[in-house]
Amino acid sequence: MISQSREHSLLQAIAEDPSRKVFIPQGRSYLANPPGMTFWQAVSSWAFTLDHKRIGVMYLCGVMSAFLLGGIFAGAVRLELWNGTPGLFHDNVQQAQDFYNQMFTLHGAVMTFLFIIPSIPAALGNIFLPMMLGAKDVAFPRMNLASFHLWCIGAVFFLITLLTSGLDTGWTFYTPYSTSTQTSVIFATMGVFILGFSSIFTGLNFVVTVNTMRPKGMTWFKMPLFMWGIYSTAIIQVLATPVLAITLVLLMCERLMGIGIFDPALGGDPVLYQHFFWFYSHPAVYIMILPGMAIISEVIPVHSRKHIFGYTFIAYSSVAIALLGFLVWGHHMFTSTESKLAAVIFSALTFTVSIPSAIKVFNWLTTMYKGSIHLTTPMCYALAFIVQFTIGGLTGLFLGTLATDIHLHDTYFVVAHFHYVMMGSTLIAFLAGLFHWWPKMFGKMYSELWGRIACLLVFIGFNTTFFPQFILGTRGMPRRYAAYKPEFQFLHQLSTSGYVILGVGFSLAAAVLIYSLFRGKKAPDNPWGAATLEWKCCSPPTTANFEIQPWVGSPYVYDDFVYDPDEGGYVEVLPDLHRSGKTADAPAAPVTH
């Protein structure tokens, strides 16, 4: 943590010698088009851009639209459950039950494949990974654009699913039901298949970018932890996603051509589908949560004004989670005729995943200890993440234990646990990152007061929605049922009330950010005093990112950054070259590409 005397000496230094303040040249924003461009030329300049930041912004708009759509489906599910008897949207009971099945299926599929998986890597990762390297772009800009176009095509297939006969299989597409239902399984699985290629392209691009484009002076253990998280995620994307793609192709072959692969009536084995599906989908859980953890590892030290504690352990824990994630898929099938020996092995392996996760939580808490914590909006989201990820992680122990999992399997306990990890953690981390980097992305500051109020509403709404579902699950309320016994009504209505609060919180957060685009104050280049390279260019960046190559230093040492009232943000102060005897040409290792 930087001391007051250090801050005073830095301010005095730049007052006596303004040249010691690191100069950040300004330029035309990557968001602006050249003068004289027609409307369609402007549209084309975005749709076919190779600029990683524009691609990231388009991803951001796309995934947030998917989040809105998935949230509407969730609302339909919660409202249908208000009375305990289906019929809010349809008078006919069978139609009401079919409607409920379709709503929870589409909610899960849209949220998982169109929002959570691509949200952080494709949106925030695309924008900030090259900038953290001091680079102009990713290794393969055209592949990056192709990845976004594939995401759009996959989203179109989901829209076709909505406009035809819907989908009612659950987001897991379990066979043999998915090969016999009359809903649009082919369109939905084709959409997921294409989205998988988009994910592979993004992961491959990031692996090559980190391996080949790190600047001179940035060794593996001088990389920002966000890059470690994105790199580990990219490895999972490249290795695991093809398994899902092949599985879905087999499912489509069985459905269209009657080839017996998974359907027992055709000589297939439905448990084989579960093995294939979860071999991808459990690592996919870490595709979702690892980037969220990576964001928290950036937000906490910056807003605590203190060096990250246990950098090496956090970096290794990201890789450990990525590798262990491939070994635990069997814990989803404790009740699916798995052998006792296999169940014991998968249970033991599941517990090992908790070790690197606990290491991260311990290091985040220790980083905050005796830090100068600034309760900014991103920091509030980071604190909410720690609380909810801890609850989600601890409740996962009950599902990893054979004896308790038998009781809790397919109950609302699983629903609550899944949402605490995926939504309460990944989504909250995504919002932490969004608020943290918003000034850099768009060059505008938002209202801190309303941002914090929105965060509080999201936290209250989320816990009111999902914590009662733990109790429902322990009392035996099965998931995916459109009706329930009267004794469950209070907790279901409490959960639905939480959904309303949560919706208000998300709407307010969106309003705060959108309002800032039109009426927000101009953001300084470094409003938080962060030391990673993306903060060493102007806000918003130019197309080239850096007009002058930035110096590579430690990403978590804040001793040379001080708040400058004239700038309205933090500035970096160079060492006194005359006293240190160094020349102005080489105060530190220059960045080269």
Side-chain angles (χ1 to χ4, degrees):
M1 184 179 68
I2 184 170
S3 64
Q4 288 186 343
S5 60
R6 174 66 176 170
E7 286 184 6
H8 179 73
S9 66
L10 290 176
L11 285 171
Q12 189 174 14
I14 58 177
E16 293 173 354
D17 182 5
S19 65
R20 289 182 60 186
K21 186 191 304 184
V22 172
F23 173 69
I24 298 178
Q26 307 295 304
R28 191 177 68 192
S29 163
Y30 75 98
L31 297 165
N33 290 315
M37 189 174 277
T38 65
F39 173 77
W40 290 112
Q41 286 174 329
V43 171
S44 177
S45 75
W46 274 88
F48 300 101
T49 182
L50 298 181
D51 186 337
H52 66 100
K53 301 180 292 299
R54 284 192 167 196
I55 293 172
V57 170
M58 290 191 291
Y59 259 122
L60 182 63
C61 295
V63 297
M64 294 312 293
S65 300
F67 175 66
L68 175 63
L69 187 63
I72 292 171
F73 293 142
V77 170
R78 291 308 324 164
L79 291 174
E80 190 68 52
L81 290 168
W82 180 260
N83 288 325
T85 53
L88 184 64
F89 297 99
H90 294 275
D91 294 332
N92 182 282
V93 174
Q94 184 60 50
Q95 289 181 344
Q97 291 174 341
D98 290 343
F99 175 79
Y100 176 82
N101 288 343
Q102 294 206 12
M103 287 301 102
F104 80 69
T105 297
L106 290 169
H107 164 70
V110 168
M111 284 295 198
T112 302
F113 297 113
L114 286 175
F115 172 65
I116 300 180
I117 288 179
S119 60
I120 297 176
L124 298 180
N126 241 321
I127 297 173
F128 290 107
L129 185 76
M131 293 171 66
M132 284 184 168
L133 291 167
K136 180 181 179 182
D137 213 318
V138 293
F140 305 121
R142 295 184 189 282
M143 179 186 283
N144 200 20
L145 178 62
S147 170
F148 174 69
H149 288 168
L150 284 173
W151 183 90
C152 292
I153 295 170
V156 168
F157 272 89
F158 267 93
L159 289 176
I160 294 173
T161 303
L162 291 177
L163 298 174
T164 51
S165 53
L167 186 69
D168 65 351
T169 61
W171 72 275
T172 52
F173 304 109
Y174 266 15
T175 56
Y177 185 67
S178 59
T179 57
S180 58
T181 178
Q182 299 304 310
T183 54
S184 300
V185 173
I186 295 297
F187 285 121
T189 50
M190 182 58 75
V192 175
F193 182 81
I194 294 170
L195 290 170
F197 273 97
S198 170
S199 184
I200 292 170
F201 280 13
T202 300
L204 187 61
N205 219 338
F206 287 171
V207 168
V208 176
T209 300
V210 172
N211 275 294
T212 63
M213 296 181 68
R214 279 179 290 115
K216 185 177 180 181
M218 184 182 285
T219 60
W220 282 97
F221 290 96
K222 287 186 178 178
M223 290 197 313
L225 288 165
F226 180 75
M227 289 174 57
W228 273 102
I230 293 293
Y231 186 79
S232 303
T233 304
I235 291 173
I236 304 174
Q237 287 175 292
V238 172
L239 295 181
T241 309
V243 178
L244 177 68
I246 293 168
T247 305
L248 295 178
V249 168
L250 293 175
L251 190 156
M252 287 186 274
C253 288
E254 182 169 274
R255 187 179 170 93
L256 293 173
M257 295 181 275
I259 301 172
I261 303 170
F262 304 122
D263 189 346
L266 299 173
D269 183 357
V271 178
L272 177 64
Y273 176 86
Q274 294 185 31
H275 277 287
F276 283 166
F277 182 83
W278 288 113
F279 184 81
Y280 161 78
S281 292
H282 197 82
V285 169
Y286 301 109
I287 292 176
M288 303 178 211
I289 190 63
L290 268 174
M293 291 173 164
I295 286 176
I296 300 305
S297 297
E298 294 299 322
V299 170
I300 285 181
V302 170
H303 296 271
S304 299
R305 310 301 304 147
K306 190 179 167 199
H307 193 287
I308 189 78
F309 182 85
Y311 170 96
T312 308
F313 283 98
I314 295 179
Y316 276 131
S317 66
S318 296
V319 179
I321 290 172
L323 297 178
L324 290 172
F326 282 98
L327 306 177
V328 297
W329 81 92
H331 70 217
H332 292 274
M333 292 177 290
F334 285 157
T335 60
S336 301
T337 67
E338 198 170 57
S339 74
K340 292 180 181 178
L341 177 61
V344 169
I345 292 172
F346 278 120
S347 176
L349 288 170
T350 299
F351 283 107
T352 61
V353 179
S354 63
I355 298 172
S357 302
I359 286 172
K360 286 181 182 291
V361 174
F362 173 77
N363 284 316
W364 294 328
L365 294 176
T366 312
T367 300
M368 288 189 288
Y369 179 65
K370 290 189 175 180
S372 177
I373 296 174
H374 296 189
L375 287 177
T376 57
T377 304
M379 188 63 179
C380 290
Y381 278 110
L383 296 174
F385 171 93
I386 292 176
V387 172
Q388 291 170 179
F389 178 71
T390 302
I391 294 173
L394 291 176
T395 51
L397 298 178
F398 295 96
L399 299 176
T401 305
L402 290 170
T404 49
D405 181 73
I406 299 298
H407 174 68
L408 297 170
H409 189 81
D410 262 344
T411 70
Y412 262 78
F413 192 93
V414 178
V415 177
H417 163 72
F418 183 83
H419 281 83
Y420 263 87
V421 176
M422 293 297 95
M423 184 182 178
S425 301
T426 303
L427 175 58
I428 297 302
F430 174 72
L431 290 173
L434 193 60
F435 276 91
H436 178 67
W437 282 308
W438 188 265
K440 180 58 64 181
M441 283 190 281
F442 298 106
K444 295 287 186 178
M445 295 301 293
Y446 47 81
S447 167
E448 277 289 346
L449 174 63
W450 287 106
R452 287 191 287 255
I453 291 173
C455 178
L456 181 63
L457 287 172
V458 168
F459 183 77
I460 294 172
F462 177 85
N463 286 285
T464 308
T465 303
F466 293 105
F467 199 84
Q469 295 181 9
F470 283 124
I471 304 171
L472 283 169
T474 56
R475 292 181 180 177
M477 173 70 208
R479 63 174 177 169
R480 297 178 173 177
Y481 274 47
Y484 52 81
K485 294 180 178 178
E487 58 261 36
F488 295 134
Q489 187 173 46
F490 171 72
L491 290 173
H492 268 297
Q493 291 185 344
L494 183 61
S495 184
T496 303
S497 303
Y499 168 82
V500 175
I501 300 172
L502 189 58
V504 172
F506 284 139
S507 301
L508 181 59
V512 167
L513 293 177
I514 293 171
Y515 181 82
S516 74
L517 294 178
F518 300 99
R519 305 296 292 271
K521 291 190 299 185
K522 185 180 185 314
D525 295 327
N526 193 350
W528 315 123
T532 40
L533 294 186
E534 79 274 19
W535 297 102
K536 297 185 180 183
C537 63
C538 59
S539 300
T542 62
T543 301
N545 294 337
F546 301 96
E547 301 303 310
I548 298 176
Q549 295 295 341
W551 304 111
V552 177
S554 171
Y556 301 108
V557 172
Y558 307 112
D559 291 348
D560 295 331
F561 293 85
V562 65
Y563 185 81
D564 184 353
D566 296 334
E567 298 279 345
Y570 285 79
V571 295
E572 185 177 9
V573 182
L574 291 171
D576 188 337
L577 302 178
H578 298 293
R579 291 185 182 178
S580 64
K582 296 178 180 177
T583 65
D585 293 333
V591 176
T592 58
H593 299 292

